[in-house]
Amino acid sequence: MRTRLIVSLLSLGAIFAFANPAAQNQVAPTPVPPTQYNNPQPYQGYYGLPKKAMDTIQKTYPGVYIKDIDFKAYGFKVELANFMEMYFDRDGNFLGQKWDD
């Protein structure tokens, strides 16, 4: 009895799936080319930092990698692996640095 019920429910589901004309006429959306995405900021360089900031970091501490970047209202706070925090404005101008305690 249980087998007949399962088979009949599956067959009814198949009939309704193929009988729905709205489901058969669905058209896949056309993909948007990458140039049309709404990107408010252009690519700024490594890790989202301006090139000017990355150049300053690499010139001041060569070979030290970036642990964390915090985006603040004034610009960026970059934490380095040598426990140094460097501060930059939004344009990548160096504001200052301090040891991370």
Side-chain angles (χ1 to χ4, degrees):
M1 181 69 184
R2 185 180 275 174
T3 307
R4 287 185 194 172
L5 179 64
I6 293 173
V7 170
S8 63
L9 287 175
L10 288 175
S11 61
L12 281 174
I15 291 171
F16 285 124
F18 289 114
N20 188 357
Q24 293 175 356
N25 294 331
Q26 290 182 353
V27 178
T30 57
V32 178
T35 57
Q36 294 182 3
Y37 289 125
N38 185 10
N39 189 4
Q41 283 187 324
Y43 178 71
Q44 294 182 339
Y46 299 104
Y47 303 106
L49 292 175
K51 182 171 177 12
K52 192 174 185 180
M54 283 302 296
D55 290 342
T56 304
I57 293 169
Q58 291 174 355
K59 189 186 317 176
T60 310
Y61 299 107
V64 177
Y65 65 91
I66 296 174
K67 272 187 7 181
D68 189 27
I69 299 173
D70 292 329
F71 296 95
K72 304 287 187 178
Y74 59 83
F76 311 99
K77 176 179 123 181
V78 180
E79 295 180 19
L80 302 175
N82 62 353
F83 302 105
M84 182 63 68
E85 293 179 353
M86 298 180 78
Y87 299 91
F88 298 92
D89 66 1
R90 291 184 182 185
D91 296 328
N93 298 318
F94 181 66
L95 299 176
Q97 63 184 8
K98 72 171 191 164
W99 288 104
D100 184 22
D101 13 7

